[in-house]
Amino acid sequence: MRKKGLIRTANLLPRLWAGLSGGIGQAVDVVLGQADEEDRTLYLVGGGLRDLMLGRGQMDIDLGGEGEMRSLAEAAAAALGGRWLEHRAFGTVTVEGQDFRLDLAMARAERYARPGALPRVRPASIGDDLARRDFTINAMALALCSHQRGQLLNPFDGMGDIARGLVRVLHDRSFIDDATRILRAVRYETRFSFAIEEKTLALLKRDMAYLDTISGARLQHELVRLLAEDEPEKGLLRCQELGVLAAIHKALRFDDELAVAFRRARRAGQAPPQPELYLALLGTRLSPADAGAIALRLALSKRQRQALEGAAELAQLLPWLSRAAIRPSQVVERLETYPLLAVEAWALAAQQSAAGEKLGRYLAEWRYAKPSLDGRALARLGVARGSLMGGVLRLLKAARLDGQASSRQDEVELVRAVLAGRVEVPGAEAGE
Ligand code: ATP
């Protein structure tokens, strides 16, 4: 099926210029002027060109060309009062000004010493640079200057695949060389409502086990990028269907109910949910031991790990939380020991249950409950500082939450009852 709204080759440059304004537009102008002066060609490459063809707004501008990029970056930084930074290992230079950031990449070829390893790179032609890329739709270049201006390099018919809506690898060993492309394929497929091309799909299934060759950090990076998509549940459902999640870890899974919870998460917040909340939702399906193993496999950061493991641990509290007889103060006491993201995830995942209702109330109101009387007011009433005061504050908070003290006066009376020995304070040391 041919996609609607595709931009014709002749219209690509006008479209590009129309979309470039402010600092980034000026930076591109200077860089292209300098390239012309040096008599070399610069290209728009990768995702930026793909998105331009698809007529998508908000595109990244990645420029590439043959040879060192330093002189171009220097010229742009000098003209616009910005600075530039070279990443030698990748052959890229970044120019940054107040309101722009531009990446310039030296064309390079890659060789994989073994599956999953980071490739060895060497300077190469623009053709070699396109040949090292993941999918045909990302393996095109549009010349922006010199006599080649406006020429499209499309050696793998990426443009045809964009028109057909297909994600296709460039060669049969692609997923073996770099199995992160498995996750990338699903990401593009679901983001653009494309299909993974038939042979590519067969290769993806054949080479699924090569996910084992990928380091935790790289896997995590691609998974988090999937979670940062507008509708990550689409990619995760597809990963589940293809067996990608199980290949990452046998216990990792996704289902329709979680997809509903993902959508709820987006409706509930003003900003798009953080990937960590989605990770916590994934944790609701895991045992604590599996969550720990997955956190290790994906080299999760502390915050990510706490979200995933916290949600897995909180699962054990759900039967208790669904009991009718427990008091709000008991709920607060228990839930305060879990990461907030884990509680939020379970509130979304178990929304329609008795436990979910308590989690929702905890998040919306109970966790903010505070007694009217503070430490100073308690001291004035004659409560000694130390563990007794701590205990009285907890008691007052619980009384607020459970409806036993609804005014400042109720609290004062409760304190007097404590001091008179008529009410016991849990956790306070005797003699204070
Ligand atoms: P997005 O649109 O999500 O920002 P992108 O298409 O710009 O993604 P990046 O991950 O930023 O992709 O990478 C830039 C380009 O580098 C891609 O378009 C692709 O050509 C190439 N690339 C990135 N990762 C790989 C990979 N693992 N294997 C081969 N080529 C890759």
Side-chain angles (χ1 to χ4, degrees):
M1 193 187 69
R2 290 186 79 81
K3 298 265 154 188
K4 291 205 194 98
L6 282 186
I7 310 297
R8 293 153 53 93
T9 314
N11 294 336
L12 288 173
L13 279 179
R15 257 302 176 123
L16 176 65
W17 306 138
L20 288 182
S21 57
I24 184 79
Q26 285 178 322
V28 170
D29 273 347
V30 176
V31 164
L32 293 181
Q34 180 68 26
D36 266 333
E37 219 157 274
E38 294 179 16
D39 199 18
R40 53 199 285 202
T41 310
L42 268 192
Y43 301 85
L44 176 67
V45 288
L49 177 53
R50 178 200 66 217
D51 291 349
L52 181 68
M53 285 182 176
L54 281 165
R56 287 170 76 93
Q58 261 303 299
M59 31 162 239
D60 277 342
I61 299 293
D62 286 323
L63 299 185
E66 293 170 8
E68 286 276 358
M69 293 289 131
R70 208 177 307 153
S71 61
L72 307 181
E74 259 169 5
L80 304 171
R83 41 195 204 104
W84 61 277
L85 187 75
E86 188 169 18
H87 316 277
R88 274 188 169 274
F90 302 103
T92 57
V93 190
T94 304
V95 200
E96 262 179 352
Q98 277 209 325
D99 59 345
F100 74 90
R101 192 192 142 97
L102 182 63
D103 288 322
L104 303 168
M106 174 164 65
R108 61 187 199 252
E110 291 182 346
R111 216 168 59 81
Y112 290 84
R114 57 183 163 76
L118 284 178
R120 293 213 188 102
V121 302
R122 61 174 171 78
S125 68
I126 188 77
D128 289 334
D129 190 273
L130 297 181
R132 74 175 169 85
R133 291 176 185 255
D134 45 4
F135 306 110
T136 61
I137 57 172
N138 288 338
M140 293 177 281
L142 177 69
L144 301 182
C145 58
S146 79
H147 60 282
Q148 295 175 25
R149 188 184 156 87
Q151 191 184 324
L152 178 71
L153 305 187
N154 183 22
F156 305 98
D157 193 22
M159 196 168 187
D161 281 339
I162 287 189
R164 289 180 285 267
L166 291 176
V167 178
R168 185 198 308 266
V169 285
L170 308 192
H171 58 86
D172 289 3
R173 280 187 57 88
S174 189
F175 294 120
I176 298 178
D177 285 345
D178 181 355
T180 64
R181 293 172 185 163
I182 292 176
L183 284 158
R184 295 176 63 85
V186 170
R187 182 153 60 86
Y188 292 126
E189 183 190 52
T190 49
R191 182 198 297 170
F192 301 130
S193 300
F194 278 18
I196 297 174
E197 178 273 333
E198 204 179 314
K199 183 166 175 215
T200 299
L201 190 63
L203 295 170
L204 182 151
K205 290 178 181 164
R206 181 194 75 182
D207 297 333
M208 190 79 74
Y210 283 89
L211 280 166
D212 280 352
T213 64
I214 304 296
S215 73
R218 293 188 67 217
L219 260 188
Q220 181 213 119
H221 178 74
E222 286 300 340
L223 188 65
V224 167
R225 289 187 77 179
L226 192 64
L227 294 176
E229 290 287 306
D230 289 344
E231 297 176 295
E233 63 278 8
K234 290 186 176 169
L236 288 170
L237 282 171
R238 183 68 161 141
C239 282
Q240 173 70 28
E241 179 196 341
L242 292 171
V244 178
L245 297 178
I248 292 173
H249 187 280
K250 62 183 186 323
L252 193 60
R253 64 193 173 86
F254 198 74
D255 53 55
D256 290 327
E257 273 178 44
L258 273 182
V260 171
F262 270 46
R263 285 193 283 269
R264 261 186 215 140
R266 285 199 298 281
R267 279 199 305 272
Q270 300 187 330
Q274 303 159 358
E276 285 86 355
L277 178 59
Y278 290 138
L279 274 177
L281 278 165
L282 292 177
T284 62
R285 294 293 188 268
L286 300 171
S287 72
D290 285 333
I294 290 168
L296 216 58
R297 171 65 184 107
L298 295 175
L300 294 187
S301 68
K302 187 170 168 198
R303 187 174 150 77
Q304 292 170 329
R305 182 171 52 75
Q306 283 175 343
L308 188 85
E309 293 183 359
E313 278 155 23
L314 188 48
Q316 334 247 316
L317 203 63
L318 277 241
W320 177 80
L321 270 176
S322 44
R323 284 197 219 154
I326 52 172
R327 294 189 305 276
S329 62
Q330 293 175 295
V331 174
V332 170
E333 200 182 322
R334 301 287 281 274
L335 289 183
E336 272 175 349
T337 63
Y338 289 88
L340 198 58
L341 283 164
V343 182
E344 285 171 347
W346 269 111
L348 293 162
Q351 203 176 59
Q352 258 104 20
S353 66
E357 199 226 310
K358 295 200 184 77
L359 291 160
R361 291 198 65 184
Y362 168 77
L363 289 171
E365 28 171 330
W366 294 345
R367 73 188 161 116
Y368 301 111
K370 248 178 34 181
S372 301
L373 300 177
D374 59 9
R376 229 188 265 168
L378 290 185
R380 276 200 301 274
L381 287 170
V383 180
R385 297 200 181 270
S387 74
L388 177 64
M389 185 167 286
V392 172
L393 282 168
R394 275 196 301 279
L395 184 78
L396 292 178
K397 179 173 160 182
R400 274 261 155 197
L401 279 163
D402 299 339
Q404 289 151 359
S406 48
S407 66
R408 192 177 171 91
Q409 191 49 41
D410 289 347
E411 289 183 13
V412 170
E413 272 158 34
L414 191 54
V415 174
R416 293 211 172 108
V418 168
L419 292 173
R422 280 182 279 123
V423 170
E424 218 174 288
V425 179
E429 278 164 34
E432 270 194 291

